[in-house]
Structure formats: C-alpha cells, structure tokens
Amino acid sequence: MSATIRNILALALGVLIGGMINMAIVTFGPSVIPPPAGVDVTDIDSISANLDRFEAKHFVSPFLAHALGTFVGSLVAFVVAVSHRRSLAFVIGFITLAGGIAAATMIPAPVWFVLLDLVVAYLPMAWLACLVGEKLVSGNSSAADSGPA
C-alpha cells in the first residue's frame, strides 16, 4: 500500500474512530450523570430553557466526549500513518475544533464551558496524542515525521 493511501486511510480512520468515541460518550453520558429533572438533552430548546439548572457536573460528559474523541482520533491517525504523522494528528484536532466551534454556536452552554472546551479539548489533545504516538511508534519524533508523503 502506498504511503499516500495509508495516510489518507489514517486520516479517515482517525475521524471515524474519534467521532465514534465522541458520540458514545455524548449518548451514554446522561445515564451516568443525569441532566436536571425534566430537561431533554436532545432538544436545544429544552437545554436553552433550563440552562440555569445545569451544574458543572453536567458538562463533564460533553467535555470528555470532545477531548477523548479528539485524543483517540488523533492517536489513531498518528499511529496508522507512515509519514506526516503530527500533521495528520493535528488535522484531526482542527477538524474536531471546527465541530466544537459549530456546536458552541448552536448548543447553549455557559461561557466558562465554551472557553474551557475550545481551549483544552481539541488542539492540546491532538498534541498529547502526538506525544503518546511517538512513544508507541518509535520514541523518536523525527523518525515519526520522516518518510515520503
């Protein structure tokens, strides 16, 4: 398999697996930390009408979904790719950041959560995935980024 095909596959797998992690946590999070009584977290109007009833604990699942989805997706891209590993991991980070920005404009949330989410859950997680990926692949970041595109 050519390096280019493998890198495209790495990117696609990173987006797919990261997205699956994100959706699993978003889907099952409310069963671990239930929303305030009477709030339907699948309905933006219900969230908007009851935002003042949400506590910090109600934002743990969305934050973990975004951070872990980005981390795992970036790590998958880094490990599967044969070259440009860091770049591909950060592409996942930027893709998920764009999704986070879109979500922040559509889904009501306190400013503190939006700032924490956008600043910590995306690009820093892609960076952390690169650090872990370097250890998994070779322990040498220069070797991790070498090779043909």
Side-chain angles (χ1 to χ4, degrees), residues 105-144:
T105 64
M106 295 183 284
I107 304 168
V111 172
W112 68 264
F113 173 74
V114 173
L115 290 174
L116 174 70
D117 192 53
L118 295 179
V119 171
V120 178
Y122 303 103
L123 299 181
M125 291 298 114
W127 173 77
L128 185 60
C130 290
L131 294 180
V132 172
E134 287 171 358
K135 299 257 188 247
L136 290 174
V137 171
S138 70
N140 181 349
S141 63
S142 61

Side-chain angles (χ1 to χ4, degrees), residues 23-148:
M23 287 309 299
I25 296 171
V26 166
T27 300
F28 296 111
S31 65
V32 177
I33 302 172
V39 178
D40 178 3
V41 293
T42 64
D43 178 15
I44 292 177
D45 293 331
S46 179
I47 295 170
S48 294
N50 295 287
L51 192 57
D52 60 327
R53 296 176 54 211
F54 281 81
E55 300 173 37
K57 68 180 181 181
H58 297 114
F59 297 96
V60 170
S61 291
F63 177 79
L64 287 176
H66 303 159
L68 293 176
T70 301
F71 174 78
V72 172
S74 294
L75 184 60
V76 166
F78 189 98
V79 170
V80 173
V82 293
S83 62
H84 306 290
R85 289 183 162 127
R86 285 184 183 188
S87 298
L88 293 171
F90 273 98
V91 167
I92 300 291
F94 279 107
I95 289 170
T96 56
L97 175 61
I101 292 168
T105 64
M106 295 183 284
I107 304 168
V111 172
W112 68 264
F113 173 74
V114 173
L115 290 174
L116 174 70
D117 192 53
L118 295 179
V119 171
V120 178
Y122 303 103
L123 299 181
M125 291 298 114
W127 173 77
L128 185 60
C130 290
L131 294 180
V132 172
E134 287 171 358
K135 299 257 188 247
L136 290 174
V137 171
S138 70
N140 181 349
S141 63
S142 61
D145 277 343
S146 65

